[in-house]
Amino acid sequence: MAAGELGRSMRISLRAGTFEAPGAGDFALPPFFGPVTKPMVLVVLSVVIIAGFFLLATRRPRLVPGRLQFAAEWVYDLARERIARDQIGSADFRPFVPLILALFTFVLVNDIFGLIPLVQFPTMGRIGFPVALAVFVVFPLCQVVGIRRHGLRGYLKNQLFPAGVPKAVYPLLTPIEAFLRFFMDPLTLAIRVFAAMFAGHLLLLAFTLGGEFLLLHGNGLGKAVSVVAFAFAVLTTFLEALVQVVQAYIFAALSAIYIGRALAAH
């Protein structure tokens, strides 16, 4: 959540003397200028940060890497070996390493924005951004590589008519497979990271604002409970950091799985 929005919520609570629970409206930030909003600026900033990080890390590569080069190599190795190779297969993974690396780092940086002071907004908490990645990047790519590998007829056969299934089952199974492959896969890919960022940030906001309200407006017991609320806010922050990394990994891994499945013979 933006620092300004957080302050606004606090001021409302102070004036009214009643606690207003945070909700989805706290994610609808006003534009900076024209149609440009804070999430849009953060998306562009994330690209600059990622590009700058890898450019600096690889500017003077050494046989014995320094800390920055080691960090860049570790991230690259994770995307290449643990995600792309494992999920797509050793025969086909190489052309897709840049995409998997870009997806992982892009989602990770935009998630981490939610914990950075003065920024405090996870860009992936706005559904439009993960939907754009899933529907306009990953999903079309899977169809293209699958059709190029198998041809249109062969690709549709692989996706909609699983091998080893009795033909009598296809009238029931094929519509389900079509629904899962061409609708649910991109939708669930986007919703996973969105839901985690939205819910986690909302929970963190509830503990923070709730603790502030109890501290300033509560009685003796309320002030004591505010300490518990702030403690949960700190614990939630660490949990949110873990979830952010895991969700970035899951998004990249699922993307690789979908690509590998489109390329597979069966």
Side-chain angles (χ1 to χ4, degrees):
M1 183 180 184
E5 291 295 299
L6 180 60
R8 179 184 62 81
S9 298
M10 289 182 176
R11 289 194 296 272
I12 291 175
S13 297
L14 287 171
R15 288 199 305 268
T18 57
F19 178 68
E20 293 186 11
D26 293 307
F27 284 78
L29 305 182
F32 281 153
F33 53 89
V36 179
T37 62
K38 181 175 183 177
M40 294 178 184
V41 175
L42 292 180
V43 165
V44 176
L45 179 61
S46 70
V47 175
V48 175
I49 291 173
I50 294 168
F53 168 73
F54 282 105
L55 287 173
L56 287 175
T58 58
R59 182 178 55 177
R60 296 177 181 175
R62 299 177 181 177
L63 184 61
V64 179
R67 293 180 180 179
L68 193 62
Q69 182 182 338
F70 176 81
E73 290 179 356
W74 185 88
V75 173
Y76 175 78
D77 182 72
L78 175 67
R80 186 182 192 274
E81 302 296 331
R82 300 293 174 259
I83 302 179
R85 182 192 289 269
D86 288 352
Q87 305 304 332
I88 299 176
S90 58
D92 299 311
F93 79 98
R94 288 181 179 84
F96 304 100
V97 171
L99 172 67
I100 299 303
L101 177 63
L103 289 175
F104 173 69
T105 53
F106 181 78
V107 174
L108 178 62
V109 172
N110 280 281
D111 286 350
I112 291 177
F113 279 152
L115 299 180
I116 297 178
L118 301 180
V119 177
Q120 295 177 298
F121 190 90
T123 317
M124 293 298 148
R126 294 292 296 270
I127 186 64
F129 294 106
V131 164
L133 288 178
V135 175
F136 298 110
V137 177
V138 178
F139 179 72
L141 176 65
C142 292
Q143 314 317 310
V144 169
V145 298
I147 293 172
R148 289 183 62 182
R149 170 64 60 88
H150 307 291
L152 178 60
R153 182 177 179 180
Y155 175 67
L156 292 177
K157 180 180 179 180
N158 282 347
Q159 298 300 308
L160 304 180
F161 299 90
V165 176
K167 292 183 178 180
V169 180
Y170 283 143
L172 176 62
L173 181 62
T174 297
I176 296 175
E177 290 292 326
F179 177 74
L180 292 176
R181 296 291 179 265
F182 302 119
F183 180 76
M184 289 303 298
D185 279 356
L187 182 64
T188 54
L189 179 63
I191 287 179
R192 276 184 177 91
V193 63
F194 159 73
M197 294 303 99
F198 181 88
H201 203 65
L202 204 60
L203 185 63
L204 179 60
L205 186 60
F207 282 128
T208 303
L209 290 178
E212 174 267 343
F213 181 82
L214 289 172
L215 180 64
L216 296 177
H217 296 276
N219 52 23
L221 179 61
K223 294 183 185 300
V225 173
S226 70
V227 177
V228 178
F230 286 130
F232 272 104
V234 174
L235 293 176
T236 303
T237 300
F238 286 103
L239 178 61
E240 182 73 354
L242 175 62
V243 171
Q244 288 167 350
V245 177
V246 170
Q247 286 300 321
Y249 178 88
I250 290 175
F251 191 95
L254 284 175
S255 300
I257 288 173
Y258 295 160
I259 294 171
R261 188 176 62 195
L263 293 170
H266 299 288

